[in-house]
Amino acid sequence: MKRYCCSIFLFFLFASSGWGQPQQRISFVYPAGGERGTTFDVLIGGRQVQRATRVLVSGKGVSARILQRTSSLRLNEATERGVIRDYFIDQVKRVYPDLEVPAFKNLARQKGKDTGQEPPALETVMKRRLWLDELGKEGDPDAVKTFLQRFYYEYFVPRPDRFLPDPIGGYLRVEITIAPDAPLGFREICLVSPGGISVSGSFHITPCREVCEIEPNESGIQDLLSADGSRKSPDQKDPRLAQKNGQNWGVVRLPVQKLPILFNGQIRAGDFDRFFFEARKGEKLALIVWGRFLSPYLADAVPGWFSPVIAVYDDTGKKLQTADHWRFDPDPIMLFKVPRDGTYMLEVQDALYRGREDFVYRIAVGAFPFITSGSSLGIVKEGDPIMLKGWNLPGKKITPRFSRTSNEKGTGRISKDLSAYTVDQWNGHWLPVPLRFPISDLPVLCEKDLADREEKTRKIDLPVVIEGKIDRPYERDHYSFTGQKGDQIVVDADSVSLGSDMDPFIRLYDPKGKLIASNDDRADEKGPNIGLETHHADPCLLAVLPKDGEYTVEIVDLLNRGGDAAAYRMRISKPRPDFTVYGSPASMAFRGDRMIVDFTAVRKDGFDGEIRITAPKGSSFRPESAVIPAGKDQITCTLYSSGLFEDPETFSLSAVGKAEGRSIVRPVIPADNMEQAFIYHHLVPRKSFQIYKKFRGPFYCSLKDSDPVEISLGQSVQISYKLDDHFPFFGLSNENNVWKQETKQGMKKGKIDFVIHDSPFLSVERWEAKEGILLLTLKAAPPDDPEYKVPEKGNIIVDIMMSTANVKKNGKGKGAGPGTMYLRSYLPAAPYTIHP
């Protein structure tokens, strides 16, 4: 009993500081990656991120240390702004001793006099403003000048959004160290706080030398070169820099870079960035941009992501080439053949001339290996080579040899579910854009230019996967097979999702040439919005054959372009019922012993059965009432955890269904539900489920009866839960909900209440806790919205709302104020069915 009392005391003591708050969410990380073997600072911005106590990066070889935190970068308080400007001018005089700085009044005192406020002490301001403590440090002169310029840009340069409220919500300055042998590729970075674990962001590890922009970096190629063609000094004065208040120093510019290089930057309000690099005639450069990829969906932007546009100029200022996308991907890739030796300028901006702190980008520039097309999009069979075309290739073919891990020589790795083969290094060369080849357990046929506009048709036997291409504009590929009356046939084509430059359209014809079915996009207007793909161009159809005979499948490119990149991978077979289940959120900050989790099913080939979510045997996690009903795509349930974790833990879940007498078991894919452009919701897959649970819930409970609750609209229904006897909540009800508990610090008291979680037709009429039972009486009323259709099956989830009176420990600190209700945990999800 002492253990339970201690647990509940700690719960009440700490809950108000974190659990009543929304989950932390990372909006951006800048720079969003780095070269292995280096140590550097990054800025993390997002909701509540300044509350973090630790920063974690997935995988091996990366460590992080928090340096500073603040709620805003904008100096909208006049006296504080004066204190910082006074100190800043002192540092300018120190770094530029020969600079003539006009005599100024004490700006902080003047601002304080104007506003009637006493200016805060410099030491106080240093604690809550990023980089201020770095201004007075000695070091490399060029680095100190660069830092002065960055500080000035962050806090004082006029910008359209300078005096607006800061929309980000919080900032962390973090020191990142990447080990020399850290595995390459994208990782997930997350924050840990007393309240839980944040939604993760992207972090990229490369073997390439990296630099960050130095604002203002809007100078053109002519500003970089003197009249005689020689380069200007890095400290050449720029008349466009502010001249007042003593800020008349030379502009520090990022020097012309040797290739390969990776540029990091942010597009702020009214901003465009320019970088300079040297290149030699004939070099085939790949300029690869990660922008939208780093922050896939922005809830408050239209379009709902950063849309980078890049351009390359020669040393006369002539624009040579631009790029604003790569095939169907909004992030551009430019393949640029250098026309002559010289200095070139790379310009980057947003397509709609927008700008904000989370418009972060990374641009790799160099003669990197880049694959434009291959002999197939997927694996035919292990050991069969895939012939590749592209730029700077260290070979002409890749031979798949299945391995679950990759090494420096470029051996591919096979996914855990055996569905794909990935290569991110090839013959010792880093591939900025990894290769991913799908794998099938069906026979694979490679089409060899036999299907063309003259209606030549290839005879096939089912089932089969066809690797083909639309080689010429307006070409049509045809495949025929023998079918029987009543057979169900699935034609499923992948193209855009595999990086192809083709918008496929499929048709199915009967033996007399009559069209039976056709499809353009397998996803309708309702989704599924899964991953980063928003152009759902890949088709899929399921049809019943009306008679015996020879049937024909036609596939065309709606863009009518054709070429090596217009490839497709098409399955023709009888239905193979299957499903994929996504669970969100991927990062779970537990409130008490339970967390709400949404499971979404993507059903395939007509699978219509129920799907049950399970945890591994012996796991400390248990999904409760986690069954996606037959014919439905989504269920919200509770996940129970019996353990406590000092560090975030990873775990896995499985989805189990039955079809055609066989059991189907699939891993549940972790995902975060992200909103795009105020309305569209997308499930973005993550690498693993992460859980952080520091404290136990207010009490333990379980459903008394696991049978579904039968609900009739307009009537009341009761649900019973079994309670733990150790806690003093018995004898309470909604009419008398004040609880008391004796502790070493004195008497604690507060309120408890139960509220239906997110339901437009259910409400709690009454509740009562006695004799080890919590009895809830629910009212099922028809929803006010006439267009809302009450789901026939689902789960009832109840929020536990609690408050505590002030509790002091050793005369210090205080808990939640009395009368303020906080969400403490959840009751177990209870399944229901609507009674006709």
Side-chain angles (χ1 to χ4, degrees):
M1 181 172 179
K2 289 182 179 179
R3 178 174 61 87
Y4 285 108
C5 290
C6 180
S7 298
I8 191 172
F9 172 73
L10 290 174
F11 175 86
F12 284 126
L13 181 63
F14 292 102
S16 62
S17 66
W19 291 2
Q21 303 295 327
Q23 186 179 9
Q24 295 172 322
R25 181 179 293 272
I26 294 176
S27 296
F28 71 88
V29 180
Y30 174 71
E35 179 187 5
R36 59 182 176 182
T38 60
T39 298
F40 53 96
D41 286 3
V42 303
L43 182 65
I44 300 177
R47 186 176 67 191
Q48 303 285 338
V49 300
Q50 71 273 24
R51 296 170 47 238
T53 56
R54 282 184 295 165
V55 178
L56 302 178
V57 180
S58 64
K60 299 179 181 179
V62 183
S63 61
R65 180 171 65 96
I66 295 177
L67 301 178
Q68 286 180 293
R69 46 174 64 84
T70 187
S71 59
S72 177
L73 294 181
R74 300 184 183 178
L75 296 175
N76 293 340
E77 201 280 312
T79 56
E80 185 178 49
R81 185 180 180 86
V83 170
I84 294 178
R85 189 181 290 274
D86 285 338
Y87 184 62
F88 180 71
I89 291 176
D90 289 341
Q91 302 311 312
V92 172
K93 294 177 182 178
R94 177 180 66 85
V95 175
Y96 294 91
D98 298 331
L99 189 66
E100 295 183 6
V101 180
F104 284 96
K105 306 175 189 177
N106 185 296
L107 296 175
R109 290 188 178 278
Q110 183 61 42
K111 293 293 185 182
K113 183 177 179 181
D114 294 341
T115 61
Q117 299 177 359
E118 185 68 23
L122 178 61
E123 293 75 13
T124 302
V125 178
M126 279 186 174
K127 293 179 180 180
R128 60 178 182 237
R129 291 298 176 184
L130 301 186
W131 307 297
L132 196 58
D133 60 336
E134 297 287 327
L135 277 179
K137 293 184 178 180
E138 300 287 346
D140 177 70
D142 290 338
V144 172
K145 292 177 181 179
T146 300
F147 183 80
L148 273 178
Q149 185 165 309
R150 179 183 182 186
F151 189 93
Y152 175 66
Y153 180 83
E154 291 288 350
Y155 284 114
F156 297 115
V157 164
R159 291 202 299 267
D161 61 347
R162 168 60 68 200
F163 293 103
L164 297 176
D166 195 328
I168 297 298
Y171 299 88
L172 275 182
R173 180 170 159 242
V174 178
E175 181 184 79
I176 297 285
T177 299
I178 304 177
D181 59 348
L184 302 176
F186 277 96
R187 311 285 190 90
E188 291 176 353
I189 184 170
C190 64
L191 309 176
V192 179
S193 72
I197 188 170
S198 74
V199 175
S200 59
S202 294
F203 191 79
H204 192 195
I205 298 177
T206 73
C208 187
R209 187 171 59 89
E210 301 198 14
V211 294
C212 291
E213 64 171 331
I214 302 175
E215 293 281 12
N217 62 344
E218 299 170 359
S219 299
I221 194 76
Q222 298 302 323
D223 297 316
L224 182 72
L225 302 176
S226 299
D228 59 359
S230 61
R231 294 181 193 141
K232 291 182 180 179
S233 164
D235 284 349
Q236 180 72 35
K237 292 182 180 179
D238 191 327
R240 292 175 295 181
L241 196 63
Q243 301 294 311
K244 59 182 181 179
N245 294 347
Q247 287 92 48
N248 183 16
W249 62 82
V251 176
V252 179
R253 291 193 178 97
L254 194 65
V256 177
Q257 300 294 322
K258 300 285 187 181
L259 300 182
I261 191 71
L262 197 147
F263 295 113
N264 292 278
Q266 291 172 286
I267 297 297
R268 306 291 187 87
D271 189 19
F272 57 90
D273 296 339
R274 287 167 174 166
F275 303 93
F276 303 93
F277 60 88
E278 287 184 349
R280 298 173 64 88
K281 180 179 179 180
E283 282 187 301
K284 293 183 175 181
L285 303 183
L287 288 78
I288 303 166
V289 181
W290 294 276
R292 182 264 182 141
F293 181 89
L294 302 176
S295 297
Y297 299 108
L298 305 176
D300 56 346
V302 179
W305 51 71
F306 168 37
S307 299
V309 177
I310 59 173
V312 171
Y313 297 77
D314 65 12
D315 55 9
T316 67
K318 179 183 178 182
K319 184 184 291 187
L320 301 178
Q321 195 169 330
T322 63
D324 62 3
H325 69 285
W326 174 254
R327 296 177 178 170
F328 294 92
D329 189 343
D331 278 344
I333 295 176
M334 180 190 295
L335 301 179
F336 175 65
K337 188 173 182 179
V338 180
R340 62 176 182 273
D341 294 358
T343 299
Y344 293 84
M345 181 179 76
L346 168 64
E347 181 181 78
V348 56
Q349 65 183 66
D350 179 65
L352 299 181
Y353 302 96
R354 303 168 298 169
R356 40 195 273 177
E357 282 83 352
D358 50 0
F359 281 19
V360 174
Y361 61 85
R362 292 167 63 75
I363 306 177
V365 182
F368 300 114
F370 186 81
I371 289 83
T372 56
S373 63
S375 58
S376 63
L377 291 178
I379 303 295
V380 177
K381 66 179 180 180
E382 183 180 2
D384 280 4
I386 300 174
M387 308 304 294
L388 300 173
K389 294 182 180 180
W391 284 30
N392 311 309
L393 302 186
K396 294 183 178 180
K397 63 182 180 181
I398 281 183
T399 303
R401 300 294 182 188
F402 294 167
S403 170
R404 292 184 180 274
T405 59
S406 61
N407 58 38
E408 293 299 319
K409 294 183 179 180
T411 301
R413 63 183 186 277
I414 191 170
S415 61
K416 293 181 180 179
D417 60 357
L418 309 181
S419 65
Y421 178 82
T422 301
V423 179
D424 49 24
Q425 295 186 65
W426 181 14
N427 290 340
H429 294 261
W430 173 54
L431 297 179
V433 181
L435 303 178
R436 181 180 179 274
F437 301 102
I439 301 170
S440 176
D441 58 353
L442 296 178
V444 180
L445 172 68
C446 291
E447 176 259 350
K448 298 296 183 182
D449 301 330
L450 293 180
D452 60 17
R453 207 175 174 187
E454 281 71 35
E455 304 294 335
K456 292 180 182 178
T457 303
R458 165 167 284 186
K459 174 70 175 177
I460 58 174
D461 295 321
L462 303 188
V464 67
V465 172
I466 301 170
E467 289 277 359
K469 290 184 180 180
I470 302 298
D471 296 283
R472 300 182 298 277
Y474 301 99
E475 180 183 306
R476 300 166 182 262
D477 284 358
H478 297 88
Y479 302 92
S480 67
F481 62 91
T482 301
Q484 306 296 321
K485 179 179 179 180
D487 285 350
Q488 286 187 313
I489 295 297
V490 172
V491 183
D492 188 359
D494 288 311
S495 181
V496 172
S497 59
L498 299 179
S500 172
D501 193 22
M502 169 186 175
D503 186 352
F505 186 88
I506 54 178
R507 299 182 179 94
L508 178 63
Y509 296 94
D510 71 5
K512 293 185 177 181
K514 179 181 177 181
L515 180 66
I516 297 176
S518 64
N519 188 259
D520 182 11
D521 305 327
R522 67 164 62 108
D524 58 20
E525 66 277 3
K526 297 180 180 179
N529 290 328
I530 305 294
L532 305 189
E533 187 179 337
T534 54
H535 190 89
H536 300 290
D538 290 343
C540 179
L541 64 82
L542 188 154
V544 178
L545 304 185
K547 62 180 77 172
D548 295 353
E550 197 83 2
Y551 289 81
T552 301
V553 173
E554 178 186 74
I555 182 168
V556 301
D557 180 7
L558 290 181
L559 301 177
N560 293 321
R561 293 188 299 201
D564 278 343
Y568 59 85
R569 182 178 174 89
M570 181 169 61
R571 171 174 63 93
I572 308 175
S573 69
K574 291 184 178 181
R576 309 182 80 202
D578 206 342
F579 55 83
T580 303
V581 174
Y582 298 84
S584 64
S587 300
M588 301 184 187
F590 264 67
R591 290 181 168 91
D593 291 334
R594 288 180 174 83
M595 179 70 185
I596 290 181
V597 183
D598 292 321
F599 293 104
T600 302
V602 177
R603 299 175 179 271
K604 303 175 183 178
D605 286 15
F607 177 82
D608 203 36
E610 75 171 25
I611 304 172
R612 186 174 298 274
I613 312 301
T614 64
K617 188 176 181 180
S619 173
S620 61
F621 308 98
R622 183 178 70 243
E624 298 174 313
S625 303
V627 178
I628 303 176
K632 303 297 180 183
D633 297 331
Q634 195 270 342
I635 192 69
T636 300
C637 71
T638 49
L639 180 69
Y640 171 76
S641 170
S642 59
L644 298 177
F645 310 101
E646 290 297 325
D647 295 309
E649 294 279 341
T650 61
F651 68 98
S652 61
L653 297 170
S654 298
V656 182
K658 289 186 177 181
E660 300 177 346
R662 63 186 178 93
S663 180
I664 304 173
V665 181
R666 297 287 179 260
V668 176
I669 299 175
D672 283 323
N673 190 334
M674 304 187 74
E675 184 181 2
Q676 178 218 155
F678 303 95
I679 186 171
Y680 303 104
H681 283 260
H682 302 259
L683 290 176
V684 178
R686 302 299 191 186
K687 294 184 181 298
S688 62
F689 285 111
Q690 292 191 95
I691 182 175
Y692 185 66
K693 182 187 173 191
K694 191 86 172 182
F695 310 106
R696 297 194 181 278
F699 52 83
Y700 175 77
C701 59
S702 60
L703 277 172
K704 188 177 179 182
D705 189 352
S706 60
D707 291 337
V709 179
E710 291 193 358
I711 295 176
S712 298
L713 295 181
Q715 298 183 16
S716 297
V717 66
Q718 291 186 332
I719 306 179
S720 297
Y721 302 85
K722 292 188 292 185
L723 296 179
D724 194 306
D725 292 336
H726 292 292
F727 294 99
F729 298 114
F730 303 126
L732 300 183
S733 69
N734 58 304
E735 297 171 355
N736 176 28
N737 62 352
V738 177
W739 58 269
K740 296 181 180 180
Q741 185 178 9
E742 186 72 30
T743 68
K744 293 181 179 180
Q745 287 74 25
M747 181 64 70
K748 288 199 304 181
K749 67 178 182 179
K751 292 184 177 182
I752 182 170
D753 204 355
F754 301 91
V755 179
I756 297 293
H757 180 86
D758 192 24
S759 174
F761 69 97
L762 285 174
S763 61
V764 177
E765 273 190 326
R766 176 179 171 78
W767 63 266
E768 184 177 15
K770 63 178 182 179
E771 299 177 357
I773 298 296
L774 172 64
L775 182 64
L776 269 61
T777 302
L778 310 182
K779 178 69 175 180
D784 295 333
D785 185 357
E787 297 184 1
Y788 177 81
K789 184 179 180 181
V790 177
E792 296 178 0
K793 294 182 179 181
N795 282 336
I796 301 170
I797 298 178
V798 180
D799 298 341
I800 305 173
M801 307 295 294
M802 300 185 72
S803 71
T804 61
N806 289 341
V807 178
K808 292 188 177 181
K809 184 177 181 181
N810 300 324
K812 298 181 180 180
K814 65 178 183 178
T820 303
M821 303 295 288
Y822 292 94
L823 174 63
R824 293 301 190 237
S825 191
Y826 306 95
L827 295 178
Y832 76 82
T833 59
I834 297 296
H835 195 276

